[in-house]
Amino acid sequence: MRKRNGFTLAEMIAALALLAVFSVIVVQLFAASQTLSTRTDRLDQAVLCARNLAERWQAAATTPDQPSVPVAEPDVSALRSGELITFFLSEEWTAVPEEAAIFHVESQMTADPMTRVETLMIKVRDPGGQVLFELSAGRLPVMEDAP
């Protein structure tokens, strides 16, 4: 019997085939994690945007010494009941035309005349129309002193 040294051609082909299969799986995992990371970042930005809008609306005005997220959004503090405001933001949180937007933000305020509670509904959507985040905030309107 001869002593065998080294690998046969069939063993090398099998090893390369296994290496190729595992490499494809690893590359797909990295691609999926990148997509998930991007979606998570966009969700975080959507939450911050909606929260910032709600806080500004509840305060009814921002003061210069309060830090706020630098979003080029319309002023929702004077929103009237039933009025809908839609604006479009880029990844850098700047106002852009609808075609270039990463976020479509809709804000609508409703008021209950019985309880005098005002509610602001904020929906942040992706360009495909899927809701990324939805937030509703309430406030009691400031009562003006009667003469």
Side-chain angles (χ1 to χ4, degrees):
M1 285 246 177
R2 287 179 37 183
K3 193 173 184 186
R4 214 174 115 189
N5 292 336
F7 299 105
T8 66
L9 181 61
E11 290 171 334
M12 289 298 290
I13 290 173
L16 288 174
L18 284 174
L19 180 65
V21 168
F22 289 129
S23 297
V24 167
I25 292 171
V26 169
V27 167
Q28 287 178 346
L29 287 175
F30 278 120
S33 69
Q34 176 63 31
T35 302
L36 184 60
S37 176
T38 301
R39 289 181 64 195
T40 303
D41 288 343
R42 289 198 176 155
L43 179 60
D44 285 344
Q45 290 175 333
V47 170
L48 286 173
C49 177
R51 185 173 161 207
N52 186 42
L53 267 176
E55 288 176 358
R56 287 179 49 192
W57 176 74
Q58 286 176 329
T62 55
T63 56
D65 56 345
Q66 286 182 341
S68 64
V69 179
V71 178
E73 63 206 15
D75 184 17
V76 294
S77 61
L79 198 60
R80 293 187 203 107
S81 183
E83 186 178 6
L84 176 68
I85 293 178
T86 302
F87 57 99
F88 310 101
L89 300 174
S90 70
E91 189 118 24
E92 292 81 31
W93 295 51
T94 56
V96 294
E98 183 176 358
E99 310 80 48
I102 298 295
F103 301 110
H104 297 195
V105 183
E106 300 171 355
S107 303
Q108 186 170 23
M109 196 267 290
T110 57
D112 183 355
M114 296 295 290
T115 61
R116 296 186 352 256
V117 173
E118 296 177 340
T119 305
L120 180 68
M121 178 57 103
I122 302 168
K123 289 182 183 178
V124 182
R125 300 178 185 269
D126 65 9
Q130 180 182 1
V131 176
L132 295 173
F133 187 71
E134 193 171 315
L135 174 73
S136 63
R139 72 175 180 191
L140 286 172
V142 177
M143 297 298 294
E144 297 180 14
D145 294 332

